[in-house]
Structures are given as C-alpha cells and as structure tokens.
Short mmCIF file of all heavy atoms in Angstrom, two decimals:
data_model
loop_
_atom_site.label_atom_id
_atom_site.label_comp_id
_atom_site.label_asym_id
_atom_site.label_seq_id
_atom_site.Cartn_x
_atom_site.Cartn_y
_atom_site.Cartn_z
N LEU A 55 2.63 -1.04 2.84
CA LEU A 55 2.88 0.19 3.42
C LEU A 55 1.86 0.44 4.47
O LEU A 55 2.02 0.95 5.53
CB LEU A 55 2.92 1.25 2.32
CG LEU A 55 3.11 2.76 2.72
CD1 LEU A 55 4.39 2.96 3.62
CD2 LEU A 55 3.05 3.69 1.50
N GLY A 56 0.51 0.27 4.03
CA GLY A 56 -0.60 0.66 4.93
C GLY A 56 -0.64 -0.24 6.28
O GLY A 56 -0.98 0.14 7.36
N HIS A 57 -0.29 -1.50 5.94
CA HIS A 57 -0.25 -2.50 7.13
C HIS A 57 0.83 -2.10 8.16
O HIS A 57 0.58 -2.23 9.38
CB HIS A 57 0.08 -3.80 6.55
CG HIS A 57 0.01 -4.95 7.69
ND1 HIS A 57 -1.17 -5.21 8.37
CD2 HIS A 57 1.00 -5.71 8.29
CE1 HIS A 57 -0.89 -6.12 9.21
NE2 HIS A 57 0.37 -6.49 9.25
N ASN A 58 1.99 -1.66 7.68
CA ASN A 58 3.09 -1.26 8.58
C ASN A 58 3.10 0.11 9.06
O ASN A 58 3.59 0.39 10.25
CB ASN A 58 4.36 -1.62 7.97
CG ASN A 58 4.61 -3.15 7.84
OD1 ASN A 58 5.04 -3.84 8.73
ND2 ASN A 58 4.38 -3.62 6.64
N TYR A 59 2.60 0.95 8.24
CA TYR A 59 2.72 2.45 8.53
C TYR A 59 1.29 3.20 8.23
O TYR A 59 1.17 4.00 7.30
CB TYR A 59 3.81 3.12 7.76
CG TYR A 59 5.20 2.46 7.89
CD1 TYR A 59 5.63 1.61 6.89
CD2 TYR A 59 5.96 2.58 9.07
CE1 TYR A 59 6.80 0.94 7.09
CE2 TYR A 59 7.16 1.98 9.27
CZ TYR A 59 7.58 1.12 8.24
OH TYR A 59 8.77 0.38 8.39
N PRO A 60 0.30 2.69 8.97
CA PRO A 60 -1.11 3.19 8.64
C PRO A 60 -1.24 4.67 8.69
O PRO A 60 -2.12 5.27 7.98
CB PRO A 60 -1.93 2.41 9.64
CG PRO A 60 -1.10 2.11 10.61
CD PRO A 60 0.30 1.74 10.09
N ASP A 61 -0.47 5.25 9.51
CA ASP A 61 -0.48 6.76 9.74
C ASP A 61 0.40 7.56 8.97
O ASP A 61 0.50 8.80 9.13
CB ASP A 61 -0.33 7.26 11.22
CG ASP A 61 -1.44 6.43 12.18
OD1 ASP A 61 -2.46 6.27 11.74
OD2 ASP A 61 -1.09 5.86 13.19
N SER A 62 1.06 6.97 8.06
CA SER A 62 2.07 7.58 7.27
C SER A 62 1.45 8.52 6.16
O SER A 62 0.47 8.09 5.51
CB SER A 62 2.98 6.65 6.50
OG SER A 62 3.82 7.14 5.57
N GLN A 63 2.00 9.58 5.95
CA GLN A 63 1.64 10.52 4.72
C GLN A 63 1.85 9.87 3.46
O GLN A 63 1.14 10.00 2.50
CB GLN A 63 2.26 11.80 4.89
CG GLN A 63 1.74 12.84 3.74
CD GLN A 63 0.31 13.18 3.94
OE1 GLN A 63 -0.13 13.39 4.98
NE2 GLN A 63 -0.38 13.20 2.75
N TRP A 64 3.00 9.04 3.44
CA TRP A 64 3.25 8.33 2.31
C TRP A 64 2.06 7.20 1.82
O TRP A 64 1.79 7.08 0.78
CB TRP A 64 4.57 7.47 2.36
CG TRP A 64 5.89 8.49 2.31
CD1 TRP A 64 6.60 8.73 3.45
CD2 TRP A 64 6.35 9.25 1.18
NE1 TRP A 64 7.52 9.61 3.01
CE2 TRP A 64 7.42 9.95 1.68
CE3 TRP A 64 5.99 9.38 -0.09
CZ2 TRP A 64 8.20 10.74 0.86
CZ3 TRP A 64 6.62 10.15 -0.94
CH2 TRP A 64 7.79 10.90 -0.42
N TYR A 65 1.54 6.68 2.88
CA TYR A 65 0.41 5.82 2.60
C TYR A 65 -0.80 6.51 2.28
O TYR A 65 -1.51 6.02 1.38
CB TYR A 65 0.14 4.87 3.83
CG TYR A 65 -1.18 4.09 3.82
CD1 TYR A 65 -1.19 3.10 2.79
CD2 TYR A 65 -2.22 4.34 4.58
CE1 TYR A 65 -2.20 2.30 2.65
CE2 TYR A 65 -3.33 3.44 4.37
CZ TYR A 65 -3.31 2.47 3.38
OH TYR A 65 -4.49 1.63 3.26
N ALA A 66 -1.01 7.73 2.84
CA ALA A 66 -2.24 8.49 2.40
C ALA A 66 -2.12 8.89 1.03
O ALA A 66 -3.10 8.77 0.21
CB ALA A 66 -2.30 9.78 3.34
N ASP A 67 -0.84 9.27 0.52
CA ASP A 67 -0.60 9.67 -0.87
C ASP A 67 -0.77 8.49 -1.81
O ASP A 67 -1.42 8.66 -2.98
CB ASP A 67 0.78 10.20 -0.96
CG ASP A 67 0.95 11.58 -0.25
OD1 ASP A 67 -0.13 12.14 0.10
OD2 ASP A 67 2.03 11.96 0.02
N SER A 68 -0.27 7.27 -1.47
CA SER A 68 -0.48 6.06 -2.28
C SER A 68 -1.93 5.63 -2.39
O SER A 68 -2.35 5.24 -3.38
CB SER A 68 0.33 4.98 -1.55
OG SER A 68 1.72 5.34 -1.55
N TYR A 69 -2.63 5.72 -1.25
CA TYR A 69 -4.12 5.39 -1.20
C TYR A 69 -4.87 6.15 -2.21
O TYR A 69 -5.61 5.75 -2.94
CB TYR A 69 -4.66 5.40 0.20
CG TYR A 69 -6.00 4.76 0.28
CD1 TYR A 69 -6.22 3.60 0.69
CD2 TYR A 69 -7.12 5.66 0.20
CE1 TYR A 69 -7.39 2.88 0.84
CE2 TYR A 69 -8.39 5.07 0.19
CZ TYR A 69 -8.54 3.77 0.58
OH TYR A 69 -9.77 3.25 0.74
N GLN A 70 -4.51 7.41 -2.06
CA GLN A 70 -5.14 8.48 -2.99
C GLN A 70 -4.90 8.23 -4.49
O GLN A 70 -5.77 8.36 -5.27
CB GLN A 70 -4.79 9.93 -2.56
CG GLN A 70 -5.50 11.00 -3.36
CD GLN A 70 -5.14 12.42 -2.84
OE1 GLN A 70 -4.08 12.60 -2.54
NE2 GLN A 70 -6.07 13.24 -2.90
N LEU A 71 -3.67 7.86 -4.81
CA LEU A 71 -3.27 7.57 -6.06
C LEU A 71 -3.98 6.25 -6.71
O LEU A 71 -4.50 6.42 -7.79
CB LEU A 71 -1.77 7.33 -6.24
CG LEU A 71 -1.19 6.94 -7.53
CD1 LEU A 71 -1.38 8.00 -8.56
CD2 LEU A 71 0.34 6.60 -7.52
N LEU A 72 -4.19 5.27 -5.87
CA LEU A 72 -4.86 4.20 -6.31
C LEU A 72 -6.31 4.40 -6.54
O LEU A 72 -6.99 3.87 -7.52
CB LEU A 72 -4.68 2.92 -5.33
CG LEU A 72 -3.30 2.41 -5.25
CD1 LEU A 72 -3.27 1.27 -4.27
CD2 LEU A 72 -2.82 1.77 -6.54
N GLN A 73 -6.99 5.24 -5.59
CA GLN A 73 -8.38 5.60 -5.70
C GLN A 73 -8.69 6.24 -7.07
O GLN A 73 -9.81 6.12 -7.57
CB GLN A 73 -8.84 6.45 -4.65
CG GLN A 73 -9.04 5.77 -3.37
CD GLN A 73 -9.71 6.51 -2.28
OE1 GLN A 73 -9.54 7.68 -2.16
NE2 GLN A 73 -10.82 5.97 -1.65
N LYS A 74 -7.70 7.11 -7.58
CA LYS A 74 -7.86 7.83 -8.84
C LYS A 74 -8.19 6.81 -9.97
O LYS A 74 -8.85 7.11 -10.98
CB LYS A 74 -6.69 8.59 -9.15
CG LYS A 74 -6.43 9.81 -8.36
CD LYS A 74 -5.34 10.66 -8.81
CE LYS A 74 -5.08 11.84 -7.86
NZ LYS A 74 -3.76 12.46 -8.37
N GLY A 75 -7.60 5.63 -9.89
CA GLY A 75 -7.83 4.60 -10.88
C GLY A 75 -8.89 3.60 -10.46
O GLY A 75 -9.06 2.47 -11.04
N GLY A 76 -9.65 3.93 -9.40
CA GLY A 76 -10.67 3.04 -8.98
C GLY A 76 -10.08 1.80 -8.25
O GLY A 76 -10.80 0.63 -8.25
N LEU A 77 -8.96 1.85 -7.74
CA LEU A 77 -8.26 0.70 -6.97
C LEU A 77 -8.09 1.01 -5.56
O LEU A 77 -8.36 2.18 -5.01
CB LEU A 77 -6.84 0.42 -7.59
CG LEU A 77 -6.93 0.29 -9.20
CD1 LEU A 77 -5.46 0.30 -9.60
CD2 LEU A 77 -7.47 -1.18 -9.53
N GLU A 78 -7.78 -0.01 -4.79
CA GLU A 78 -7.55 0.15 -3.40
C GLU A 78 -6.35 -0.83 -3.08
O GLU A 78 -6.02 -1.78 -3.82
CB GLU A 78 -8.63 -0.24 -2.59
CG GLU A 78 -9.19 -1.65 -2.76
CD GLU A 78 -10.40 -1.93 -1.95
OE1 GLU A 78 -11.04 -1.05 -1.45
OE2 GLU A 78 -10.71 -3.09 -1.74
N PRO A 79 -5.65 -0.58 -1.90
CA PRO A 79 -4.46 -1.53 -1.49
C PRO A 79 -5.01 -2.96 -1.39
O PRO A 79 -6.03 -3.20 -0.85
CB PRO A 79 -4.14 -0.92 -0.21
CG PRO A 79 -4.53 0.52 -0.24
CD PRO A 79 -5.84 0.52 -0.99
N ARG A 80 -4.36 -3.84 -1.97
CA ARG A 80 -4.68 -5.35 -1.90
C ARG A 80 -3.42 -6.13 -2.07
O ARG A 80 -2.77 -5.92 -3.07
CB ARG A 80 -5.69 -5.68 -2.86
CG ARG A 80 -6.08 -7.13 -2.83
CD ARG A 80 -7.21 -7.50 -3.91
NE ARG A 80 -8.34 -6.66 -3.57
CZ ARG A 80 -9.15 -6.13 -4.53
NH1 ARG A 80 -8.80 -6.19 -5.94
NH2 ARG A 80 -10.25 -5.47 -4.21
N GLU A 81 -3.16 -6.94 -1.16
CA GLU A 81 -1.84 -7.63 -1.15
C GLU A 81 -1.98 -8.89 -1.98
O GLU A 81 -2.83 -9.71 -1.78
CB GLU A 81 -1.31 -8.06 0.37
CG GLU A 81 0.01 -8.67 0.36
CD GLU A 81 0.56 -8.80 1.70
OE1 GLU A 81 0.29 -7.98 2.58
OE2 GLU A 81 1.12 -9.75 2.12
N ASN A 82 -1.05 -9.09 -2.84
CA ASN A 82 -0.82 -10.36 -3.65
C ASN A 82 0.26 -11.18 -2.87
O ASN A 82 1.42 -10.78 -2.91
CB ASN A 82 -0.49 -9.99 -5.03
CG ASN A 82 -0.01 -11.20 -5.79
OD1 ASN A 82 -0.42 -12.34 -5.38
ND2 ASN A 82 0.57 -11.02 -7.06
N ALA A 83 -0.16 -12.15 -2.25
CA ALA A 83 0.83 -12.99 -1.53
C ALA A 83 2.08 -13.45 -2.29
O ALA A 83 3.03 -13.85 -1.69
CB ALA A 83 0.10 -14.15 -0.76
N GLY A 84 1.88 -13.70 -3.53
CA GLY A 84 2.92 -14.10 -4.40
C GLY A 84 3.95 -13.16 -4.94
O GLY A 84 4.87 -13.39 -5.56
N SER A 85 3.78 -11.86 -4.56
CA SER A 85 4.59 -10.75 -4.95
C SER A 85 5.85 -10.73 -4.08
O SER A 85 5.85 -11.07 -2.95
CB SER A 85 3.78 -9.44 -4.75
OG SER A 85 4.78 -8.41 -4.96
N TRP A 86 6.87 -10.29 -4.77
CA TRP A 86 8.19 -10.10 -4.05
C TRP A 86 7.95 -9.07 -2.97
O TRP A 86 8.69 -9.15 -1.89
CB TRP A 86 9.30 -9.82 -4.99
CG TRP A 86 9.23 -8.28 -5.49
CD1 TRP A 86 8.69 -7.97 -6.71
CD2 TRP A 86 9.67 -7.14 -4.84
NE1 TRP A 86 8.83 -6.53 -6.81
CE2 TRP A 86 9.47 -5.99 -5.66
CE3 TRP A 86 10.31 -6.83 -3.63
CZ2 TRP A 86 9.72 -4.73 -5.36
CZ3 TRP A 86 10.70 -5.56 -3.33
CH2 TRP A 86 10.35 -4.42 -4.29
N ILE A 87 7.05 -8.05 -3.16
CA ILE A 87 6.87 -7.06 -2.12
C ILE A 87 6.33 -7.65 -0.93
O ILE A 87 6.61 -7.22 0.22
CB ILE A 87 5.99 -5.93 -2.71
CG1 ILE A 87 6.67 -5.37 -4.04
CG2 ILE A 87 5.78 -4.84 -1.78
CD1 ILE A 87 5.71 -4.45 -4.86
N ALA A 88 5.29 -8.58 -1.06
CA ALA A 88 4.66 -9.18 0.05
C ALA A 88 5.78 -10.06 0.79
O ALA A 88 5.69 -9.90 2.11
CB ALA A 88 3.53 -10.08 -0.34
N ARG A 89 6.57 -10.68 0.22
CA ARG A 89 7.62 -11.42 0.84
C ARG A 89 8.58 -10.63 1.68
O ARG A 89 8.95 -10.73 2.72
CB ARG A 89 8.34 -12.38 -0.12
CG ARG A 89 7.55 -13.44 -0.72
CD ARG A 89 8.39 -14.46 -1.50
NE ARG A 89 9.13 -13.82 -2.66
CZ ARG A 89 8.63 -13.78 -3.77
NH1 ARG A 89 7.42 -14.16 -4.15
NH2 ARG A 89 9.41 -13.16 -4.76
N ALA A 90 8.87 -9.40 0.93
CA ALA A 90 9.89 -8.55 1.65
C ALA A 90 9.15 -7.90 2.74
O ALA A 90 9.86 -7.50 3.73
CB ALA A 90 10.38 -7.49 0.63
N GLY A 91 7.94 -7.65 2.67
CA GLY A 91 7.19 -7.00 3.68
C GLY A 91 7.11 -7.74 5.04
O GLY A 91 7.09 -7.08 6.10
N LYS A 92 7.39 -9.01 4.95
CA LYS A 92 7.45 -9.80 6.19
C LYS A 92 8.63 -9.47 6.95
O LYS A 92 8.66 -9.60 8.29
CB LYS A 92 7.54 -11.32 5.84
CG LYS A 92 6.16 -11.75 5.26
CD LYS A 92 6.25 -13.32 4.84
CE LYS A 92 4.93 -13.66 4.17
NZ LYS A 92 5.03 -15.11 3.61
#
C-alpha cells in the first residue's frame, strides 16, 4: 500500500496501526500480497 499509494490516508492509518504493535511495513516477497502487488 505504501509503495503504491504513499500519500493515501489508508496508508497513514495502516502505518499507525502497525506502530501500535511496534511494527512497521515490511514486504515478504513470498506473500500472495507481494505477488499481487506487482
């Protein structure tokens, strides 16, 4: 989401949600989401 829509409010909300758990966006190349993202 961030790679394709860095200025999106949806990305801002997602980033904030991950930060609550001490996480950050990180792509797993083996994920179906990464493949679909191409």
Side-chain angles (χ1 to χ4, degrees):
L55 177 58
H57 184 66
N58 289 279
Y59 308 100
D61 299 323
S62 167
Q63 184 60 49
W64 290 110
Y65 176 60
D67 293 343
S68 296
Y69 190 91
Q70 185 177 33
L71 177 62
L72 291 179
Q73 276 195 321
K74 289 181 180 178
L77 302 169
E78 61 182 16
R80 180 178 299 138
E81 184 172 326
N82 172 16
S85 168
W86 72 264
I87 304 171
R89 293 192 298 272
K92 293 178 182 178

